[in-house]
């Protein structure tokens, strides 16, 4: 089917898109993503599966104007059949009761955390979420996080995100840190987690062409081994990711 069933436009900048695709909805888990081509003249684009409803046969993604998809948001209408959809892809996030989980995201890159926060809370974790200062373009993400977080903290910079980690861990035991967003911020957070011996997972946002490991553009070094984000990720042990190598690769695509 692959038909757009509903569009919720939170602002001129952000929209939730509900897509009817029963096979995807039935098997989607937190951490999975899809590759979608909205029209024949557009490339396939990776989107996090934010939510799914197996009974209705639908799943939800979030599209951001900030992700250079302005014209796409404006053009979408319910009833459109998608020419190409592939998923769910990647490895699901391991959901269990870790204890106290600190989730840290930034801006548009916060989207992959939303389903993880929700499912971690359902599993009985205490979830503390650190978000960047939101603007009109992404304010809806904060409300989605608030619905499933025990506490919400704000940060105005990448350095302050690290300070939030330090302040929370000084007051209580943090059993897991989950991070996503800019690579340099994740590098800083991973360094702090390593020093404090806190387990950490990172959800990488990578450029992808096919989503099935053929192009190799999303490769990353993890524990000295070559991994593909589309197949082996997008979640990795943040303490094992070579963020310096990743930053160098990403500079080639600026």
């Amino acid at each position: 089917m692959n038909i757009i069933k509903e569009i919720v436009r939170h602002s001129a900048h952000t929209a939730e898109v509900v897509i009817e695709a029963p096979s995807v909805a039935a098997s989607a888990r937190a951490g999975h993503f899809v590759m979608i081509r909205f029209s024949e003249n557009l490339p396939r684009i990776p989107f996090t599966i934010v939510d799914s409803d197996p009974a209705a046969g639908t799943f939800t993604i979030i599209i951001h104007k900030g992700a250079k998809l302005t014209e796409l948001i404006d053009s979408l209408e319910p009833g459109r059949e998608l020419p190409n959809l592939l998923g769910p892809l990647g490895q699901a996030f391991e959901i269990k009761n870790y204890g106290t989980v600190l989730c840290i995201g930034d801006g548009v890159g916060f989207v992959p955390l939303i389903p993880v926060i929700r499912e971690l809370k359902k599993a009985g974790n205490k979830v503390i979420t650190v978000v960047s200062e939101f603007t009109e373009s992404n304010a809806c993400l904060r409300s989605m996080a608030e619905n499933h977080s025990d506490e919400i903290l704000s940060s105005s910079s990448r350095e302050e995100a690290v300070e939030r980690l330090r302040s929370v861990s000084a007051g209580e035991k943090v059993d897991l840190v989950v991070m996503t967003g800019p690579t340099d911020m994740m590098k800083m957070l991973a360094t702090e987690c390593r020093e404090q011996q806190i387990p950490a997972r990172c959800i990488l946002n990578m450029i992808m062409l096919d989503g099935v490991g053929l192009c190799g553009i999303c490769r990353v070094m993890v524990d000295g081994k070559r991994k593909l984000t589309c197949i082996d990720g997008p979640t990795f042990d943040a303490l094992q990711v070579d963020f310096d190598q990743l930053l160098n690769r990403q500079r080639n695509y600026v």
Side-chain angles (χ1 to χ4, degrees):
M1 290 186 179
N2 304 339
I3 296 173
I4 296 176
K5 299 296 290 183
E6 183 181 3
I7 302 171
V8 181
R9 291 182 168 90
H10 292 280
S11 71
H13 311 284
T14 308
E16 285 182 75
V17 181
V18 180
I19 299 170
E20 183 177 5
S23 62
V24 176
S27 52
R29 300 292 182 270
H32 283 150
F33 68 96
V34 289
M35 297 289 292
I36 300 176
R37 176 177 285 133
F38 285 93
S39 65
E40 295 295 349
N41 62 337
L42 287 175
R44 287 196 294 186
I45 306 170
F47 292 96
T48 296
I49 299 175
V50 175
D51 203 357
S52 63
D53 185 343
T58 62
F59 70 93
T60 302
I61 64 170
I62 292 178
I63 301 177
H64 275 291
K65 180 177 180 179
K68 299 183 179 180
L69 299 175
T70 307
E71 294 182 3
L72 177 59
I73 291 178
D74 294 338
S75 68
L76 295 180
E77 295 294 341
R80 175 190 289 190
E81 185 171 357
L82 304 175
N84 188 266
L85 187 154
L86 184 64
L89 301 171
Q91 302 298 317
F93 192 99
E94 184 180 6
I95 300 296
K96 64 180 183 179
N97 193 331
Y98 295 93
T100 296
V101 183
L102 181 60
C103 297
I104 306 175
D106 181 64
V108 173
F110 186 81
V111 172
L113 275 180
I114 293 172
V116 173
I117 289 170
R118 182 184 64 245
E119 296 305 316
L120 285 173
K121 185 58 184 174
K122 286 182 181 179
N125 294 279
K126 177 180 179 181
V127 179
I128 302 173
T129 302
V130 178
V131 297
S132 61
E133 293 183 341
F134 284 91
T135 63
E136 178 194 1
S137 66
N138 52 21
C140 66
L141 303 183
R142 182 184 180 102
S143 64
M144 293 178 185
E146 286 176 336
N147 291 337
H148 304 286
S149 300
D150 294 276
E151 186 177 357
I152 291 280
L153 303 172
S154 295
S155 66
S156 59
S157 67
R158 295 161 192 185
E159 290 77 14
E160 189 171 358
V162 178
E163 288 303 317
R164 291 297 192 190
L165 166 58
R166 290 172 180 157
S167 64
V168 172
S169 62
E172 62 182 293
K173 181 178 183 291
V174 176
D175 299 288
L176 178 68
V177 171
V178 186
M179 64 186 78
T180 188
T183 302
D184 55 350
M185 183 189 78
M186 291 193 289
K187 177 186 175 181
M188 295 165 63
L189 291 167
T191 298
E192 184 65 27
C193 288
R194 188 177 296 108
E195 291 176 358
Q196 294 196 39
Q197 298 184 323
I198 302 173
R201 303 286 183 270
C202 60
I203 306 174
L204 300 183
N205 293 293
M206 302 287 284
I207 295 173
M208 297 179 189
L209 296 182
D210 55 77
V212 293
L214 296 178
C215 72
I217 198 172
C218 67
R219 64 184 180 273
V220 60
M221 296 302 293
V222 182
D223 194 23
K225 300 175 182 177
R226 179 180 177 272
K227 300 289 185 179
L228 295 173
T229 302
C230 63
I231 294 176
D232 304 304
T235 302
F236 295 101
D237 183 339
L239 306 187
Q240 299 292 338
V241 171
D242 186 340
F243 286 106
D244 289 325
Q245 183 265 355
L246 183 54
L247 282 165
N248 286 333
R249 279 186 50 75
Q250 290 176 330
R251 291 188 186 103
N252 294 327
Y253 302 104
V254 173

